[in-house]
């Protein structure tokens, strides 16, 4: 009905954006008259005014001042609820008995009874600064930044409709306006201003889980501070040469968030026969009571520090078994469902390279120095926590993952229920269908593989403030429409980064293109983004903790230009300079791929060329890169992964392994213990040069030098 009344205009499809939580004012400035719509046709506001079905929503826009913005020229998305949807929401606010303020402050049970602040919140949560079409919101869904500075998520219901926050269905889509696109929805999109603990309580499904959080005192943490109390300092220099960046204008406000994997009372009862808090405590004592025992314990950090796990009744003690159980369900950082197992730039499983299309990442939990693995399994479209497949990252064939019989499923893992996730003010709550435990199977099974960690995952501030996975189009929407490939952050924004030379080091995040971008221009980065900067840099980054063992520590590196300079690496157990020791001699990143110090064969055309050709692809498929792999490894180098690719201007894609300007460097082979470890990166040349930390690998020596199988190319 609505589609027929709009004038069709040519417009590029909106980008698939990821969330950015920006500090946007709740007040609406007077619109710039120079931007007022002056052409023929309908703006979003024109349509809402002349269609009586949306008079309630337009009243809310008018009360908040957003009617004027929706009448201006621009590129917006409006999710417009019908009158019935708005009235239903108004009734729910009036009847809400959980709110401390009676009737949420409303003066009467009508749209006119809404407060000004409620009108502003509702308006901002239904408006977006970019265009989002159905193609952007279908498939795996999207996480979309609204003008409220908070995100909504889209998914496809079983009946095929696209749903916002699993509640509001789009009933009429892609209605084109001269200033954007409008989607009609059948409910007001719900939002919560509760904190994590209060949201768990309010759901009514997690009574025992919440009771355990209260006993351990962790409820105070997840209901505690929502912003860092710190004074951030920007670097003075905005750019070096052509290094083009956008400043994060709201970075003085650094929000604190958490992600909780919550186990419902129903799961505890049906899967574990746990019905009381005493039974949950007994379960925790069985799992963790002997985890740090000398000789037989598997929790290396506590065992190495001669810790005795408590099974007593002081549950607030971090050494108490119940406390340990609950901490392993919480990670610092508010990770939305798209970046939890971020799939950007993962190679197409239908391509000829035998990729499986899976994606994964590793997260440090609140149980000290422990990791959990989030694994998206492409075959069934589900994400699992701590899934264990035997001989993962090993193969008995060349350029494949290997035969199925060498990869039996040892542990299914806990399935994440995205459909019923909760999105409180300071994080995300994901239901899981089993208890998460750091038992012997985790360090000796789940994590006994090549551990490849995207370094941006190790910076929880990015996730909590919505910057992780942010695309260039979203940067532009927060930067007056000016698109930049990178964002710059204050040098003391990240807890896991320490800068030693003040304003001579800049900290940037390289942003990817949208997956639906018609003209992608991504750098060759794992998951499309990376941590980087320029200057006479001198900084240290905290590495993810790994279980005790002997590992190769590897770092993805890019080279072939004077711009990359020369770097010295150091390792230590703290970020204090006195604790950091040099790793090998300085590495020169100005050399090209055919330099004998690397030993690779060119898979690209021309010395140092970045263009992948069909001929090079055919040669690679025949040779599989094995001719030079061994020579490279003896020099401390490895090719890139076959599991992710770069998108080009032409839209063509080629796996990272084909390139001749990006490799993995084996920094050191040594024993690591489960404790803090810092990597210092120092420029040894004067002038402005670039550093980049895309991903880090810890590969157990038993994987890298396996006598029966090969480490796979993925």
């Amino acid at each position: 009905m609505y589609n027929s009344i709009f004038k069709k205009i040519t417009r590029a499809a909106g980008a698939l954006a990821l969330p950015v939580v920006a500090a946007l004012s709740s007040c609406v400035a007077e619109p710039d008259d120079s931007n007022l719509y002056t052409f023929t046709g309908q703006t979003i506001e024109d349509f809402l005014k002349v269609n009586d079905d949306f008079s309630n929503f337009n009243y809310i826009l008018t009360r908040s001042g957003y009617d004027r913005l929706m009448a201006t020229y621009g590129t917006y998305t409006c999710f417009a609820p019908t009158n019935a949807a708005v009235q239903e929401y108004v009734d729910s606010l009036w009847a809400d008995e959980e709110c401390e303020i009676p009737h949420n402050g409303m003066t009467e049970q009508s749209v006119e009874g809404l407060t000004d602040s409620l009108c502003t919140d509702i308006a901002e949560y239904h408006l977006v600064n970019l265009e989002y079409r159905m193609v952007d919101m279908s498939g795996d869904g999207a996480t979309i930044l609204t003008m409220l500075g908070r995100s909504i998520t889209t998914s496809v219901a079983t009946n095929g409709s696209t749903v916002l926050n699993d509640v509001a269905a789009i009933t009429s889509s892609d209605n084109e306006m001269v200033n954007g696109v409008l989607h009609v929805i059948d409910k007001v999109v719900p939002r919560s201003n509760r904190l994590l603990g209060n949201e768990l309580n309010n759901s009514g499904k997690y009574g025992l889980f919440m009771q355990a959080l209260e006993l351990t005192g962790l409820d105070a943490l997840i209901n505690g501070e929502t912003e860092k109390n710190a004074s951030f300092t920007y670097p003075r220099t905005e750019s070096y040469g052509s290094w083009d960046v956008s400043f994060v204008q709201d970075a003085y406000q650094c929000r604190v968030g958490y992600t909780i994997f919550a186990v419902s009372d129903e799961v505890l009862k049906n899967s574990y026969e746990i019905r009381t808090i005493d039974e949950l405590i007994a379960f925790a004592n069985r799992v963790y009571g002997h985890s740090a025992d000398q000789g037989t314990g598997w929790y290396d950090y506590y065992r190495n520090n001669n810790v005795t796990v408590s099974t007593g009744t002081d549950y607030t003690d971090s050494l108490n078994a119940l406390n340990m159980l609950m901490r392993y369900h919480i990670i610092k950082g508010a990770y939305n469902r798209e970046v939890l197992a971020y799939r950007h730039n993962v190679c197409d499983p239908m391509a000829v390279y035998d990729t499986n299309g899976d994606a994964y990442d590793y997260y440090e939990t609140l149980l000290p120095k422990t990791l959990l693995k989030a694994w998206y399994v492409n075959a069934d479209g589900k994400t699992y926590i701590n899934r264990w497949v035997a001989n993962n990252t090993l193969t008995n064939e060349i350029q494949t993952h290997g035969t199925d019989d060498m990869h039996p499923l040892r542990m299914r893992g806990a399935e994440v229920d995205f459909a019923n996730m909760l999105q409180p003010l300071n994080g995300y709550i994901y239901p899981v269908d089993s208890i998460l435990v750091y038992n012997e199977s985790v360090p000796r099974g789940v994590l006994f593989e090549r551990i490849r960690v995207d370094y941006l995952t190790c910076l929880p501030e990015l996730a909590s403030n919505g910057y992780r996975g942010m695309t260039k189009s979203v940067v532009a929407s927060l930067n007056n429409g000016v698109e930049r490939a990178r964002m710059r952050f204050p040098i003391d924004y990240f807890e896991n980064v320490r800068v030693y030379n003040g304003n001579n080091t800049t900290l940037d995040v390289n942003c990817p293109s949208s997956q639906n971008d018609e003209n992608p221009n991504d750098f060759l980065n794992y998951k499309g983004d990376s941590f980087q900067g320029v200057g006479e840099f001198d900084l240290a980054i905290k590495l993810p903790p790994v279980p005790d063992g002997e590992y190769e520590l590897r770092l993805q590196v890019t080279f072939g230009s004077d711009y990359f300079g020369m770097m010295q690496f150091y390792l230590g157990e703290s970020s204090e300079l006195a604790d950091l020791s040099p790793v090998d001699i300085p590495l020169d990143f100005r050399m090209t791929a055919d330099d004998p110090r690397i030993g690779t064969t060119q898979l690209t055309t021309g010395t140092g060329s970045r263009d992948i050709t069909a001929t090079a692809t055919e040669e690679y498929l025949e040779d599989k890169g094995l001719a030079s792999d061994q020579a490279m490894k003896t020099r401390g180098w490895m090719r890139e992964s076959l599991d992710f690719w770069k998108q080009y201007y032409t839209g063509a894609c080629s796996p990272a392994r084909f390139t001749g300007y990006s490799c993995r460097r084996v920094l050191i082979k040594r024993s690591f213990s489960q404790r803090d470890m810092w990597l210092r990166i120092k420029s040894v040349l004067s002038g402005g040069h670039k550093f980049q930390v895309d991903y880090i690998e810890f590969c157990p020596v038993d994987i890298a030098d396996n006598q029966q199988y090969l480490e796979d190319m993925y």
Side-chain angles (χ1 to χ4, degrees):
M1 154 182 182
Y2 303 107
N3 285 309
S4 61
I5 67 173
F6 300 117
K7 176 183 177 182
K8 298 295 183 181
I9 60 175
T10 303
R11 192 181 297 273
L16 172 62
L18 298 170
V20 180
V21 181
L24 300 175
S25 171
S26 61
C27 298
V28 181
E30 289 291 332
D32 183 353
D33 289 341
S34 65
N35 287 332
L36 284 174
Y37 169 69
T38 58
F39 307 99
T40 59
Q42 284 189 309
T43 64
I44 292 173
E45 174 58 17
D46 289 335
F47 167 73
L48 294 174
K49 280 197 303 185
V50 300
N51 284 275
D52 291 340
D53 284 347
F54 303 98
S55 59
N56 282 345
F57 182 59
N58 197 47
Y59 172 84
I60 290 172
L61 293 184
T62 302
R63 279 274 301 273
S64 61
Y66 277 95
D67 61 324
R68 292 169 291 175
L69 184 64
M70 291 299 102
T72 63
Y73 178 77
T75 305
Y76 307 108
T77 299
C78 174
F79 297 107
T82 61
N83 285 344
V86 172
Q87 187 58 53
E88 180 184 6
Y89 188 67
V90 165
D91 293 342
S92 70
L93 292 176
W94 181 264
D96 182 9
E97 297 180 355
E98 299 291 333
C99 185
E100 295 180 2
I101 304 174
H103 307 303
N104 284 277
M106 293 173 59
T107 57
E108 60 180 72
Q109 191 175 350
S110 69
V111 67
E112 290 80 8
L114 292 169
T115 64
D116 290 343
S117 61
L118 281 172
C119 287
T120 298
D121 281 1
I122 294 169
E124 290 179 346
Y125 205 44
H126 289 74
L127 302 175
V128 184
N129 272 319
L130 292 170
E131 276 192 7
Y132 288 88
R133 304 296 182 112
M134 287 296 284
V135 67
D136 304 317
M137 298 183 287
S138 57
D140 293 330
T143 303
I144 299 172
L145 170 72
T146 69
M147 291 185 186
L148 184 61
R150 296 175 63 181
S151 61
I152 57 177
T153 61
T154 73
S155 59
V156 179
T158 55
N159 64 2
S161 62
T162 297
V163 183
L164 311 181
N165 282 6
D166 296 308
V167 173
I170 295 177
T171 59
S172 176
S173 62
D174 290 348
N175 299 299
E176 295 189 45
M177 313 289 173
V178 294
N179 62 343
V181 61
L182 181 144
H183 306 282
V184 179
I185 54 178
D186 65 354
K187 292 183 183 295
V188 170
V189 184
R191 74 201 183 287
S192 173
N193 290 322
R194 300 183 182 91
L195 298 178
L196 284 156
N198 297 332
E199 190 74 23
L200 279 167
N201 255 334
N202 185 69
S203 72
K205 298 179 180 179
Y206 304 99
L208 289 179
F209 191 87
M210 190 62 209
Q211 191 175 349
L213 288 173
E214 292 169 345
L215 283 175
T216 57
L218 293 171
D219 62 322
L221 178 69
I222 62 176
N223 277 346
E225 65 174 3
T226 57
E227 288 188 3
K228 285 185 181 180
N229 295 317
S231 176
F232 301 116
T233 305
Y234 278 113
R236 295 173 185 167
T237 305
E238 295 191 10
S239 63
Y240 285 84
S242 61
W243 193 255
D244 203 9
V245 299
S246 282
F247 273 66
V248 180
Q249 297 300 333
D250 64 327
Y252 289 101
Q253 297 181 349
C254 186
R255 300 186 183 184
V256 176
Y258 298 92
T259 299
I260 298 177
F261 300 99
V263 188
S264 68
D265 293 339
E266 181 180 8
V267 168
L268 290 175
K269 180 182 68 173
N270 295 338
S271 299
Y272 300 91
E273 296 186 353
I274 294 175
R275 295 174 174 81
T276 67
I277 190 63
D278 289 336
E279 291 173 339
L280 184 59
I281 292 169
F283 175 87
N285 291 341
R286 290 195 301 273
V287 171
Y288 288 107
H290 298 285
S291 60
D293 289 357
Q294 295 300 317
T296 58
W298 60 90
Y299 186 11
D300 302 324
Y301 176 65
Y302 275 8
R303 190 191 67 248
N304 294 340
N305 288 281
N306 297 311
V307 165
T308 299
V309 174
S310 168
T311 56
T313 58
D314 183 3
Y315 306 114
T316 61
D317 182 359
S318 63
L319 307 182
N320 180 273
L322 181 65
N323 196 291
M324 294 167 65
L325 179 76
M326 300 311 295
R327 284 180 180 273
Y328 196 63
H329 288 79
I330 307 172
I331 57 179
K332 192 169 186 179
Y335 292 90
N336 72 64
R337 70 182 186 186
E338 286 192 44
V339 302
L340 189 63
Y342 195 23
R343 302 192 291 281
H344 194 93
N345 280 8
V346 172
C347 278
D348 184 352
M350 300 303 293
V352 295
Y353 317 119
D354 193 39
T355 63
N356 58 20
D358 287 4
Y360 55 87
D361 220 327
Y362 304 83
Y363 296 87
E364 186 172 0
T365 76
L366 294 192
L367 181 62
K369 319 308 175 195
T370 63
L371 296 176
L372 60 76
K373 180 180 181 181
W375 187 344
Y376 170 80
V377 178
N378 184 66
D380 63 11
K382 297 178 179 179
T383 297
Y384 300 89
I385 304 299
N386 287 348
R387 186 179 182 86
W388 175 18
V389 172
N391 297 313
N392 197 39
T393 70
L394 284 170
T395 182
N396 58 357
E397 296 179 340
I398 297 173
Q399 200 188 286
T400 73
H401 287 278
T403 57
D404 291 340
D405 60 349
M406 72 166 292
H407 293 133
L409 181 64
R410 294 288 176 80
M411 192 162 68
R412 171 181 172 271
E415 181 183 338
V416 182
D417 179 8
F418 290 121
N420 291 295
M421 74 175 191
L422 301 174
Q423 189 178 337
L425 185 64
N426 61 333
Y428 292 90
I429 299 168
Y430 297 113
V432 287
D433 64 359
S434 61
I435 301 174
L436 304 186
V437 291
Y438 189 78
N439 57 19
E440 189 173 6
S441 296
V442 178
R444 299 179 184 176
V446 175
L447 300 178
F448 188 69
E449 62 183 15
R450 177 187 58 232
I451 299 174
R452 179 182 300 146
V453 182
D454 188 301
Y455 193 69
L456 295 184
T457 304
C458 302
L459 304 177
E461 294 88 351
L462 291 177
S464 295
N465 291 274
Y467 299 118
R468 180 69 214 281
M470 184 188 64
T471 59
K472 297 170 187 175
S473 58
V474 179
V475 175
S477 74
L478 300 176
N479 194 34
N480 296 320
V482 180
E483 186 169 295
R484 294 287 185 265
R486 305 170 186 88
M487 291 186 302
R488 180 154 296 166
F489 288 83
I491 58 175
D492 47 359
Y493 192 73
F494 305 109
E495 290 182 358
N496 290 341
V497 178
R498 180 173 180 180
V499 174
Y500 299 108
N501 61 346
N503 293 324
N504 287 324
T505 297
T506 68
L507 304 180
D508 302 326
V509 169
N510 184 70
C511 303
S513 301
S514 163
Q515 293 280 48
N516 290 342
D517 199 325
E518 294 181 352
N519 296 292
N521 182 21
D522 283 348
F523 295 96
L524 180 68
N525 290 326
Y526 182 53
K527 301 183 184 292
D529 52 14
S530 66
F531 180 60
Q532 53 186 216
V534 290
E536 294 181 22
F537 50 81
D538 188 2
L539 71 156
I541 59 175
K542 187 179 179 183
L543 301 179
V546 293
D548 285 8
E550 188 173 2
Y551 295 86
E552 286 184 356
L553 173 60
R554 306 166 180 168
L555 186 68
Q556 182 272 352
V557 298
T558 305
F559 47 82
S561 168
D562 289 343
Y563 197 54
F564 296 112
M566 184 179 291
M567 306 177 200
Q568 176 68 60
F569 297 95
Y570 304 77
L571 270 178
E573 294 179 6
S574 81
S575 61
E576 296 300 318
L577 290 175
D579 294 337
L580 293 157
S581 301
V583 178
D584 204 358
I585 62 175
L587 285 177
D588 190 347
F589 293 94
R590 297 169 296 180
M591 56 186 170
T592 54
D594 55 353
D595 192 292
R597 288 172 289 180
I598 297 177
T600 186
T601 55
Q602 280 285 14
L603 301 180
T604 56
T605 56
T607 302
S609 170
R610 302 188 178 196
D611 296 324
I612 309 301
T613 67
T615 301
T617 301
E618 292 170 3
E619 291 172 354
Y620 179 79
L621 290 175
E622 181 177 348
D623 173 66
K624 305 187 189 307
L626 295 176
S628 60
D629 281 356
Q630 185 174 359
M632 289 180 64
K633 190 64 180 290
T634 60
R635 293 172 172 83
W637 295 93
M638 298 177 65
R639 292 193 193 279
E640 275 279 22
S641 165
L642 190 59
D643 205 34
F644 70 98
W645 55 18
K646 169 184 168 60
Q647 298 188 58
Y648 289 86
Y649 296 98
T650 61
C653 298
S654 290
R657 186 172 171 83
F658 288 13
T659 66
Y661 65 94
S662 182
C663 288
R664 288 171 280 181
R665 174 66 180 179
V666 181
L667 290 180
I668 196 171
K669 181 188 291 187
R670 54 162 279 184
S671 294
F672 287 84
S673 59
Q674 193 176 30
R675 63 180 66 186
D676 286 345
M677 186 63 62
W678 288 76
L679 177 68
R680 181 186 178 195
I681 307 169
K682 185 179 189 301
S683 175
V684 297
L685 299 177
S686 60
H689 292 88
K690 171 186 173 181
F691 75 86
Q692 174 168 289
V693 183
D694 186 10
Y695 65 85
I696 293 168
E697 288 182 355
F698 282 93
C699 186
V701 171
D702 287 345
I703 303 292
D705 299 334
N706 194 277
Q707 299 302 303
Q708 182 179 3
Y709 302 120
L710 292 173
E711 181 183 348
D712 66 38
M713 297 181 180
Y714 302 92

